[in-house]
Amino acid sequence: MNIENTKAQMRKGVLEFCILSVLKEKDAYTSEILDTLKTAKLLVVEGTVYPLLTRLKNDNLLSYRWEESTSGPPRKYYGLTDEGKEFLKELNNTWSELSGAVNTITNQKK
């Protein structure tokens, strides 16, 4: 079994949750989102994030606006919609339950 594939699948499973969490405090453009994820050691590439941002927007969890940049072309800033904020709350609850269950199982003494 390929461990790298399994690790990639685990990261992919939490990527949506992480992107929404990045945007909970303030709107951000794609490069900022990628930098935050990379700083946290979530190895992602633009080709993974752009389609996910589009899907989250199409699901009405994100909105976006264009903003002029002083150092290049205009930037697309993403932010959470009210529906996105509620969705993130639910994901937080689910994550707490799931991580608690996984920790219980993986930390059991045999």
Side-chain angles (χ1 to χ4, degrees):
M1 181 167 200
N2 183 345
I3 189 67
E4 291 306 316
N5 184 50
T6 300
K7 288 168 27 177
Q9 290 301 316
M10 290 174 79
R11 280 193 297 272
K12 188 184 289 187
V14 297
L15 190 54
E16 179 177 307
F17 178 40
C18 291
I19 287 173
L20 294 173
S21 295
V22 167
L23 296 171
K24 74 181 173 198
E25 298 299 324
K26 69 178 185 91
D27 294 356
Y29 61 99
T30 308
S31 293
E32 290 176 315
I33 295 168
L34 281 165
D35 288 346
T36 302
L37 296 172
K38 287 177 183 174
T39 298
K41 306 285 190 251
L42 258 176
L43 306 173
V44 293
V45 293
E46 288 180 24
T48 302
V49 173
Y50 281 110
L52 185 51
L53 289 170
T54 298
R55 187 174 59 74
L56 293 171
K57 184 194 80 59
N58 290 342
D59 289 344
N60 200 35
L61 301 177
L62 296 181
S63 61
Y64 70 85
R65 71 180 192 286
W66 288 99
E67 201 170 287
E68 291 297 323
S69 170
T70 56
S71 61
R75 295 177 174 164
K76 187 188 279 190
Y77 279 79
Y78 290 91
L80 292 178
T81 61
D82 289 340
E83 192 174 333
K85 291 173 187 173
E86 287 302 313
F87 191 79
L88 180 57
K89 282 182 194 176
E90 288 297 319
L91 288 179
N92 271 311
N93 292 337
T94 300
W95 179 256
S96 293
E97 292 169 5
L98 181 61
S99 62
V102 170
N103 286 334
T104 297
I105 291 168
T106 58
N107 292 325
Q108 285 182 347
K109 305 244 189 269
K110 298 201 177 183

